[in-house]
Amino acid sequence: GQMGYQIFHERWEPVPANGWVEVTHTVLPTEVMSYWAWRQKGSGVWYNVGKTIVFPTPADPSKIHQAAIEWLTANCSVPMTPNWPQLESDIFGKCAREKGVDSIQFEPTAGARPWGVFGLPGLTELVLVNLDGDKGCGVAEPSKTLLRGGWLPEPTRPW
């Protein structure tokens, strides 16, 4: 998990479209549409980012996710629920799916040394749009998960 062992590299780069990335996730009952994960090398749980988009993580905590929220809600036809946490699912789940993205990557916090987010070195946030975070494997039927497990991602080996 995110507090266990991980592999740290001095340089952060976004995962390219259709690239595989190792992730960790904690099941939260409020994540009904979208799956918030940590990008964590060494976890052995893989996800193909598909069509992906990258947003900054500003040093100012009041602006975290602001650029993503503005982009995702622009021209989104989904009626927004005014209350959190459903609003999060509306934006990062429904609007993101409507825009056709499979994942949303967040850069490390601007200026953080060593790089990371929320004071956690080596971790960055990633939203897996086509999975639901209230389920461990992201889908109701585990055999249909988009996650893969093992040393290397293998499309035929579900998690």
Side-chain angles (χ1 to χ4, degrees):
Q2 59 266 24
M3 298 306 156
Y5 292 102
Q6 65 177 325
I7 299 169
F8 180 81
H9 294 277
E10 288 293 323
R11 198 168 124 196
W12 183 89
E13 292 182 5
V15 180
N18 300 307
W20 289 91
V21 62
E22 286 177 284
V23 299
T24 57
H25 170 76
T26 299
V27 174
L28 295 172
T30 56
E31 286 184 16
V32 294
M33 186 173 279
S34 74
Y35 188 102
W36 286 78
W38 295 110
R39 180 175 163 182
Q40 190 166 10
K41 292 181 182 188
S43 74
V45 178
W46 295 85
Y47 181 79
N48 186 306
V49 298
K51 183 179 177 186
T52 191
I53 188 162
V54 181
F55 291 100
T57 300
D60 179 348
S62 69
K63 295 184 178 358
I64 290 177
H65 305 140
Q66 182 177 341
I69 291 168
E70 290 172 359
W71 185 82
L72 289 165
T73 58
N75 302 313
C76 179
S77 69
V78 174
M80 295 292 145
T81 307
N83 300 319
W84 203 263
Q86 182 58 48
L87 180 60
E88 179 181 80
S89 289
D90 292 344
I91 296 169
F92 290 95
K94 294 175 184 176
C95 288
R97 291 176 186 185
E98 186 176 280
K99 289 198 181 256
V101 295
D102 300 308
S103 65
I104 302 164
Q105 299 180 61
F106 290 95
E107 297 173 350
T109 302
R113 299 292 179 260
W115 64 261
V117 292
F118 309 120
L120 300 169
L123 295 179
T124 54
E125 291 182 293
L126 177 72
V127 180
L128 314 181
V129 173
N130 297 310
L131 295 177
D132 299 327
D134 62 342
K135 299 164 188 71
C137 58
V139 293
E141 175 55 48
S143 66
K144 297 186 183 340
T145 187
L146 299 173
L147 298 170
R148 300 293 179 255
W151 186 252
L152 295 172
E154 294 182 22
T156 59
R157 184 175 52 202
W159 179 43

